[in-house]
Amino acid sequence: MPTMRMRAEKKMRKHLLEQLKSRKIFGARIAKGYKTPEQLMELNLAPQVFLFKNLFSGQVLYSQVPAFHQDQIDAQFPRPNWQNRKPSRRNDLWRIMCVADFASYDYAVAAYDGLVQLRYVRDVLKPKEAMAMRKKNEEGNIWYSGQYRPCFSQEAVADLAHVINEFELEGTALFWENVWRKGEDSHWRSDLVDHEVLPPFNPKYQSIMLDELREKSLAEFGRIREENAAQENGEPESAQVGTQAA
Amino acid sequence: MLPSVGIRHFSRCAVRSARLKPLRFTDLNKINLNQPVVPTHKNFDVSPDHPLWAFFPNGNKATSCFRDSSEIDTSSRPWALPELRRKSFEDLHKLWYLILKERNILAREVRLAEAIRENNTQAHNELDEKLALTQKRIKQVLLERQVAYERAQLMTAEQEEYLRDFEERYVNAEESDIVSYNEKLIRLQYAFFGIEPQLDDFDMETDINVNFIEGLTYIANLKHKRYLKLHPQTEEVLSTPLDGVVEALPFLLNDTNEAIQELKSLRERGTETKLDKIDVIPFLKRTISQVIAERNGTEAV
């Protein structure tokens, strides 16, 4: 015999289920939501942009923080189709490709915005142009091996160069997982960008490496800001060097 | 010219205040997209002794990753069994690894051909079969040798007969033949008892064993008997047979005459030279290492 349920009881069960659903976290909490320069500073984050590549499909995810969230995936893959599927959130598939270290929080946020906008242009506003530049196989589809399409990460690198050159973000340092990916030097303006290599890391501890990188960048940023303040106050150069050494 | 201190350090405030370029795209519809940036290997150097070069036919001088069938050696033949039987173990070992490396190269090329849908790998496979046949033959030769060795271990009666026969011939040998007999004895002691011809080659952990003691006793008795045969008028002290490794060891380490002198002094002193069984191997190890150290020391001086 089915158990009798009061109306209040049913309501409560429904309410509890909704609670459970709303509590579910789709990704890292810190990566949820857009970050303004002030928020980045408050959260003790460095002026960086992180580019994660998907090992399965070759797609690239941009993030302002050393983590990612489902909301970012939804925002950055606006028109999924069979060749450009919406990637999964599995954290074992997203491996860091490049960490871009900028000279200020304004630059970092501008670069992130620019990258997301360029992705939008490629996927929504000018999909035909973007498709024309991709390498095709003999059937006229994007070249692939299995599910992997290398063009997506190449486009991300091109967009990164585009943003840096367009906004003239001087004092940028790019930490590549593999310098192979940065392509010919002609794509980069040497007065704006320094290319470096990420420290060797175990993929299991990728987040720890990224956090260390964030701390290092933060310390560097603080040091430069102090120097600039000292310069503006008109202190002599030698005095600065002395205080640093001390 | 910018100072070498770094661009980030250089006048950021001035640049920021004088920015001409806005920090955002004005009109998304007017953006000209960049071509995808194709990765390039020119950005890094590959070590010329990288181990993976071993998978290419010319090592780090390789210019292509796939050889056509015209570049593959089709006229050669596998090594024949009689040819391999003449080779030493070291030669066979080297040959095995050369073949293994070559087969690895071929296997990589065939795998690559599968991946790029290049189906013309007939020549690769044929060469690989020849190499595999040579490897099988090397195994066959080694098996034959192992079987021969194991059979020889079982022929104890024949071995004993041969040793007795050799003893007789050695003791009765002419003075002119003794040099060749001594050389033969060195080969014999290595073949039958595993006693290395050179003291320095001794491995103290494994070489000093029961077999070694047997061989030592055999050699010492052999030389002692020959000495008695050549000098029938020896004193009573020397004429009794050798007893134990303490008396036998000098015959292995020294010249016969020196060994006889040593034996004489041992027996005249009248000290107990018979060791307990458990002391025999430690005594041999200790004494032989002392002798090796002394000889090396004197050579070094």
Side-chain angles (χ1 to χ4, degrees):
Chain A
M1 188 179 160
T3 45
M4 288 285 288
R5 290 197 202 282
M6 307 296 292
R7 201 211 252 151
E9 202 183 347
K10 285 180 183 169
K11 257 179 124 178
M12 182 51 84
R13 286 173 73 88
K14 200 179 163 195
H15 173 70
L16 282 173
L17 280 173
E18 272 168 12
Q19 282 287 309
L20 281 177
K21 271 184 203 160
S22 66
R23 272 189 216 174
K24 190 161 180 198
I25 305 289
F26 298 95
R29 277 165 204 260
I30 194 157
K32 193 174 184 183
Y34 178 76
K35 305 275 185 294
T36 61
E38 291 74 27
Q39 282 170 328
L40 284 178
M41 265 185 272
E42 272 172 28
L43 290 168
N44 211 16
L45 292 164
Q48 288 172 321
V49 169
F50 299 85
L51 284 76
F52 295 94
K53 68 175 191 296
N54 191 302
L55 298 184
F56 181 63
S57 63
Q59 288 156 316
V60 170
L61 184 69
Y62 311 119
S63 179
Q64 291 175 291
V65 299
F68 49 86
H69 193 273
Q70 182 67 42
D71 291 353
Q72 290 172 323
I73 297 175
D74 293 341
Q76 293 178 27
F77 298 93
R79 293 289 159 86
N81 57 44
W82 73 270
Q83 302 200 78
N84 187 5
R85 291 176 185 227
K86 185 176 283 192
S88 87
R89 187 167 47 84
R90 276 174 54 176
N91 60 1
D92 56 338
L93 287 181
W94 292 105
R95 190 69 53 80
I96 191 74
M97 180 176 86
C98 177
V99 178
D101 212 345
F102 292 100
S104 76
Y105 286 97
D106 293 333
Y107 285 7
V109 172
Y112 176 72
D113 290 342
L115 285 170
V116 175
Q117 281 172 340
L118 284 175
R119 173 68 59 75
Y120 183 77
V121 173
R122 280 192 194 271
D123 284 359
V124 179
L125 298 183
K126 298 183 173 181
K128 280 183 187 161
E129 262 183 49
M131 189 55 106
M133 291 191 284
R134 289 170 183 157
K135 186 185 170 184
K136 308 288 194 316
N137 60 10
E138 61 266 27
E139 288 159 1
N141 297 317
I142 300 177
W143 190 93
Y144 63 87
S145 168
Q147 288 294 322
Y148 191 79
R149 293 180 170 78
C151 67
F152 295 127
S153 55
Q154 296 173 10
E155 283 175 0
V157 176
D159 287 350
L160 185 63
H162 188 168
V163 164
I164 292 171
N165 294 347
E166 180 76 21
F167 301 159
E168 291 191 352
L169 304 178
E170 76 283 346
T172 305
L174 298 181
F175 294 83
W176 296 97
E177 161 255 5
N178 191 338
V179 279
W180 180 63
R181 293 195 178 273
K182 81 175 199 269
E184 301 278 346
D185 284 332
S186 58
H187 299 292
W188 307 92
R189 270 177 59 181
S190 59
D191 55 334
L192 300 181
V193 192
D194 288 335
H195 295 279
E196 283 165 59
V197 183
L198 283 179
F201 66 100
N202 182 339
K204 186 176 168 188
Y205 303 118
Q206 170 175 297
S207 58
I208 294 170
M209 186 273 295
L210 292 179
D211 198 50
E212 279 171 7
L213 221 59
R214 176 192 66 81
E215 274 174 16
K216 227 165 140 184
S217 167
L218 210 56
E220 174 82 349
F221 183 67
R223 189 181 66 75
I224 289 169
R225 196 155 50 175
E226 273 173 25
E227 272 179 26
N228 280 342
Q231 251 181 357
E232 277 173 14
N233 293 340
E235 280 181 31
E237 190 76 17
S238 56
Q240 279 178 46
V241 173
T243 48
Q244 265 180 38
Chain B
M1 189 72 188
L2 292 172
S4 60
V5 190
I7 304 154
R8 318 175 78 191
H9 175 204
F10 176 69
S11 70
R12 176 165 324 109
C13 314
V15 171
R16 198 182 295 155
S17 56
R19 279 198 78 85
L20 293 174
K21 295 253 180 175
L23 281 177
R24 57 191 178 81
F25 291 109
T26 41
D27 187 358
L28 291 185
N29 284 310
K30 286 181 188 160
I31 289 178
N32 284 324
L33 292 170
N34 279 4
Q35 287 283 346
V37 172
V38 180
T40 168
H41 65 87
K42 289 171 198 156
N43 290 337
F44 55 83
D45 301 323
V46 179
S47 160
D49 53 357
H50 195 287
L52 287 180
W53 283 122
F55 285 87
F56 291 86
N58 297 324
N60 57 18
K61 290 173 191 69
T63 47
S64 83
C65 53
F66 184 76
R67 286 177 294 181
D68 288 336
S69 46
S70 59
E71 295 168 72
I72 298 282
D73 177 14
T74 47
S75 57
S76 59
R77 61 170 178 82
W79 283 69
L81 269 173
E83 291 166 340
L84 291 171
R85 285 196 189 110
R86 296 168 59 85
K87 295 287 174 191
S88 68
F89 179 81
E90 277 73 25
D91 286 349
L92 291 181
H93 191 254
K94 273 180 206 159
L95 191 58
W96 176 275
Y97 275 98
L98 286 174
I99 291 172
L100 185 66
K101 283 172 92 172
E102 186 61 34
R103 289 191 69 197
N104 274 338
I105 294 170
L106 289 167
R108 181 194 60 74
E109 283 175 332
V110 170
R111 176 70 192 83
L112 180 70
E114 276 171 23
I116 60 176
R117 312 268 161 85
E118 158 75 54
N119 294 322
N120 196 7
T121 53
Q122 177 88 13
H124 297 77
N125 290 328
E126 278 170 8
L127 182 56
D128 190 57
E129 276 165 23
K130 286 177 198 168
L131 292 169
L133 185 57
T134 307
Q135 280 191 320
K136 279 183 191 165
R137 286 176 177 169
I138 291 174
K139 274 191 182 178
Q140 174 68 23
V141 168
L142 292 179
L143 180 70
E144 284 172 7
R145 286 183 191 175
Q146 180 68 15
V147 167
Y149 173 75
E150 282 174 9
R151 284 206 183 134
Q153 300 297 306
L154 293 176
M155 295 193 292
T156 41
E158 284 93 333
Q159 279 184 18
E160 275 167 19
E161 196 189 322
Y162 181 83
L163 287 176
R164 268 200 306 279
D165 182 45
F166 182 80
E167 186 176 321
E168 202 183 313
R169 279 186 288 142
Y170 184 89
V171 171
N172 299 324
E174 297 292 326
E175 193 62 35
S176 56
D177 294 340
I178 196 66
V179 177
S180 72
Y181 267 105
N182 272 330
E183 282 172 5
K184 208 168 183 180
L185 178 63
I186 287 171
R187 290 200 295 276
L188 179 141
Q189 70 188 30
Y190 182 62
F192 278 70
F193 305 109
I195 302 176
E196 299 276 353
Q198 296 294 326
L199 264 189
D200 289 337
D201 296 337
F202 273 46
D203 180 3
M204 287 300 156
E205 294 306 314
T206 54
D207 282 357
I208 313 292
N209 50 25
V210 177
N211 215 5
F212 177 86
I213 295 168
E214 267 179 36
L216 176 64
T217 319
Y218 175 77
I219 295 159
N221 278 324
L222 200 68
K223 290 183 175 171
H224 185 238
K225 275 182 191 168
R226 183 175 165 80
Y227 180 81
L228 291 183
K229 171 93 200 244
L230 291 180
H231 308 85
Q233 313 298 327
T234 353
E235 307 143 49
E236 178 70 22
V237 193
L238 286 175
S239 54
T240 45
L242 298 175
D243 187 19
V245 288
V246 180
E247 292 182 353
L249 190 60
F251 287 91
L252 179 72
L253 299 177
N254 298 327
D255 195 16
T256 310
N257 289 330
E258 288 174 35
I260 289 289
Q261 291 307 319
E262 211 167 310
L263 179 67
K264 196 176 170 186
S265 63
L266 264 177
R267 289 194 171 168
E268 279 173 353
R269 255 186 275 147
T271 44
E272 181 59 45
T273 53
K274 186 83 179 146
L275 290 175
D276 288 334
K277 266 189 180 176
I278 199 167
D279 293 332
V280 170
I281 287 180
F283 165 79
L284 286 174
K285 283 184 182 173
R286 200 172 55 241
T287 319
I288 291 175
S289 357
Q290 270 174 12
V291 170
I292 291 174
E294 273 173 27
R295 288 189 186 175
N296 288 342
T298 49
E299 274 171 26
V301 169

